[in-house]
Amino acid sequence: MSNSEERGDLVDSEEEDDLTNEVLDISAFHELLSMDDENDEDNEFSRGIVHNYLEQAKSTFADMDKALKDKDLSKLSSLGHFLKGSSATIGVKRVQDCCKHIQFLGKLHNMDGEGSVDEEEALKLIAKELRIGWVEYVKAKEFLGFFYETDFSD
């Protein structure tokens, strides 16, 4: 059995529900894995996409931290929207959810996109979502590193 098949079994195991709830949207991640060449045991294609995503996410979170310090709600909303889409592609759903909330809050909407909040409340909630997003990013990075048997550290 190849390494990629063994790792595929890991994702299909009885722990799938825990992984789905904790780190990844398994169906989105399987979709990404399906793009790998079936003869490529190292999953080069999806590994490259994941590596680029992790670099992009780290940079975008740093940009969001700066925008928060600058109280730039429009920039926060735009960056949240951008990283939300990238996260959805990989299946990093908790980062995706945090970014969706930041996108809405940056437009002075509630985290669900309905109703409104004032600027002070939006900034407070965005700070909280950013902290959560960073934590979820680290969890995803660790899991993906384990899955691909690589160290995605800088």
Side-chain angles (χ1 to χ4, degrees), residues 46-84:
S46 64
R47 177 192 307 257
I49 290 174
V50 166
H51 177 74
N52 290 338
Y53 163 77
L54 292 169
E55 288 182 350
Q56 178 187 75
K58 181 179 179 183
S59 173
T60 303
F61 274 127
D63 291 345
M64 283 194 266
D65 284 339
K66 183 181 180 327
L68 180 63
K69 288 177 186 161
D70 296 342
K71 298 181 180 184
D72 188 341
L73 290 170
S74 176
K75 179 99 174 169
L76 285 160
S77 180
S78 175
L79 290 167
H81 175 74
F82 172 73
L83 189 52
K84 176 187 75 173

Side-chain angles (χ1 to χ4, degrees), residues 24-36:
L24 293 179
D25 173 342
I26 296 301
S27 63
F29 190 61
H30 273 289
E31 190 72 27
L32 175 65
L33 292 175
S34 74
M35 293 183 225
D36 285 319

Side-chain angles (χ1 to χ4, degrees), residues 40-145:
D40 179 9
E41 293 181 9
D42 293 326
N43 301 91
E44 292 281 330
F45 181 76
S46 64
R47 177 192 307 257
I49 290 174
V50 166
H51 177 74
N52 290 338
Y53 163 77
L54 292 169
E55 288 182 350
Q56 178 187 75
K58 181 179 179 183
S59 173
T60 303
F61 274 127
D63 291 345
M64 283 194 266
D65 284 339
K66 183 181 180 327
L68 180 63
K69 288 177 186 161
D70 296 342
K71 298 181 180 184
D72 188 341
L73 290 170
S74 176
K75 179 99 174 169
L76 285 160
S77 180
S78 175
L79 290 167
H81 175 74
F82 172 73
L83 189 52
K84 176 187 75 173
S86 299
S87 299
T89 299
I90 303 299
V92 184
K93 69 181 196 168
R94 288 198 173 170
V95 171
Q96 176 187 351
D97 289 344
C98 288
C99 289
K100 178 178 71 172
H101 298 155
I102 291 168
Q103 178 187 358
F104 288 143
L105 290 163
K107 293 181 179 187
L108 298 177
H109 297 295
N110 288 325
M111 289 195 298
D112 62 4
E114 302 294 323
S116 62
V117 295
D118 64 30
E119 184 175 333
E120 182 180 336
E121 181 70 8
L123 290 168
K124 184 175 98 177
L125 291 170
I126 288 171
K128 179 181 176 186
E129 289 297 311
L130 266 175
R131 285 190 305 271
I132 294 167
W134 272 110
V135 168
E136 295 303 326
Y137 161 79
V138 169
K139 287 180 185 177
K141 183 177 174 181
E142 289 172 355
F143 173 77
L144 292 164

